[in-house]
Amino acid sequence: MILNKHLVRRHFAHAAADYEALATLQNQVGQEMIERLDLLKIDPQMLLDLGAGTGLQSRRLNRRFPRARVLAVDLALPMLQEARRRKSWRQRQWYLQADAERLPLRDQSLQMVFSNFVLQWLPDPLPALRELRRVLQPEGLILCSSLGPDSLRELRQAFRSVDEEPHVHDFLDMHDLGDAMVQAGFADPVLDVERYELHYDDLDTLLRDLRGIGAGNSQPRRGLFTPRKLQRLRSAYEEFRTPDGKLPLQYEVVHAHAWRAADRPSGELQPLQFIPRRRN
């Protein structure tokens, strides 16, 4: 998958002011990720919220670990400016604009990395995962979520009736993410999938919400998206309208966590653990 990182940054920068109000799924999944910490024994003193956005999860992590320092990192500076504005004066947070593939942090300086809906914005998660392993201390935890390949299925199919340009990203499969975590040097990865469905009254609102959270198309494409193409897209999407009159949009969310493995001899593999997919 080819992604333009400058477009990714620009889309999220433009979305900063309204992001938290519109990012319903991101907020729900972030809360569920923090609840998963109940099953994991960790009390970090320094943790990283990668792709912190407007800082909602950073604030939640601060409440979860009140003695910890939370480093909020994002590619888009306006997101971090909004996060700083929303932070309570009592919370211990620091802000850093940085690329996930090149973090200006010391080796083994963190005990935990939290990353909600970031990996799908990378053409290949492996370089970022290796960088996260570098900054984690041995036995440090990575807890992350990403979109799976069934996400935005209806939108992807409707766009196929419009033209052959790439309009919806190809998201990483759970098994590929698990393999990348092992390659990056994480031990005992555990992965599972949850499915969600949002509903809209019309396509224009659906597209406006996607743009409003920065989820615009960051792939190179040719030509303009004309009003005629938009009308064709509206017509194609009508095939998915539910009996109660709503337009659905499905998301496949991959959850993963793993521990930073100690350095091992080259070629030694770690096992993967996949939890069966849940059916809603």
Side-chain angles (χ1 to χ4, degrees), residues 2-237:
I2 301 174
L3 292 179
N4 185 322
K5 195 173 294 185
H6 298 291
L7 276 180
V8 173
R9 181 190 294 111
R10 187 170 71 184
H11 289 162
F12 281 106
H14 288 168
D18 298 322
Y19 179 87
E20 204 158 302
L22 296 175
T24 304
L25 180 64
Q26 288 76 4
N27 293 348
Q28 179 180 342
V29 171
Q31 180 62 51
E32 292 171 359
M33 289 173 64
I34 290 176
E35 291 170 359
R36 286 172 178 241
L37 289 167
D38 292 341
L39 305 175
L40 303 169
K41 294 181 179 180
I42 187 168
D43 185 19
Q45 299 304 302
M46 187 73 179
L47 65 90
L48 169 65
D49 181 7
L50 181 67
T54 55
L56 176 58
Q57 310 312 326
S58 295
R59 299 194 298 274
R60 287 171 171 168
L61 287 165
N62 250 150
R63 290 192 290 270
R64 174 76 186 215
F65 304 111
R67 294 181 299 175
R69 298 182 178 182
V70 177
L71 178 60
V73 171
D74 203 276
L75 188 64
L77 180 59
M79 284 286 194
L80 296 175
Q81 292 170 333
E82 187 68 19
R84 184 186 294 274
R85 188 182 69 81
R86 293 171 180 264
K87 179 185 81 72
S88 164
W89 66 271
R90 295 181 179 180
Q91 293 183 316
R92 306 173 71 190
Q93 294 173 23
W94 286 259
Y95 304 95
L96 176 64
Q97 182 186 16
D99 188 327
E101 297 178 354
R102 294 184 297 274
L103 295 171
L105 301 174
R106 290 185 292 107
D107 293 358
Q108 301 185 20
S109 56
L110 306 169
Q111 291 89 41
M112 177 178 160
V113 170
F114 181 97
S115 177
N116 183 28
F117 284 159
V118 173
L119 297 180
Q120 72 263 13
W121 297 111
L122 304 172
D124 180 359
L126 186 55
L129 289 171
R130 284 176 171 156
E131 183 72 344
L132 294 175
R133 181 188 184 276
R134 179 186 67 80
V135 300
L136 272 174
Q137 295 177 3
E139 308 305 322
L141 173 71
I142 178 172
L143 178 68
C144 61
S145 67
S146 183
L147 291 182
D150 283 346
S151 298
L152 311 185
R153 178 180 59 83
E154 300 90 348
L155 190 61
R156 188 190 314 275
Q157 185 171 329
F159 266 120
R160 290 195 184 110
S161 69
V162 175
D163 57 34
E164 297 182 356
E165 293 291 320
H167 294 280
V168 179
H169 298 174
D170 294 322
F171 301 116
L172 198 65
D173 181 81
M174 174 176 69
H175 297 82
D176 293 331
L177 177 57
D179 289 342
M181 295 180 83
V182 171
Q183 283 185 265
F186 288 99
D188 305 320
V190 178
L191 299 98
D192 69 285
V193 164
E194 294 274 6
R195 294 183 182 276
Y196 303 81
E197 188 170 284
L198 302 184
H199 296 91
Y200 296 87
D201 292 328
D202 55 74
L203 183 66
D204 290 348
T205 304
L206 184 156
L207 295 175
R208 185 167 59 248
D209 276 9
L210 285 176
R211 289 192 296 268
I213 61 173
N217 185 11
S218 299
Q219 300 174 98
R221 65 180 188 270
R222 301 181 300 275
L224 299 175
F225 197 73
T226 63
R228 178 176 295 182
K229 287 184 177 182
L230 178 59
Q231 187 54 48
R232 288 167 61 186
L233 182 66
R234 289 195 189 102
S235 299
Y237 212 107

Side-chain angles (χ1 to χ4, degrees), residues 254-280:
V254 179
H255 289 272
H257 76 264
W259 303 91
R260 196 260 200 206
D263 293 333
R264 297 178 182 274
S266 177
E268 184 174 340
L269 299 179
Q270 292 293 308
L272 293 177
Q273 180 180 349
F274 296 106
I275 299 175
R277 295 172 184 255
R278 302 183 184 182
R279 299 184 181 274
N280 295 336

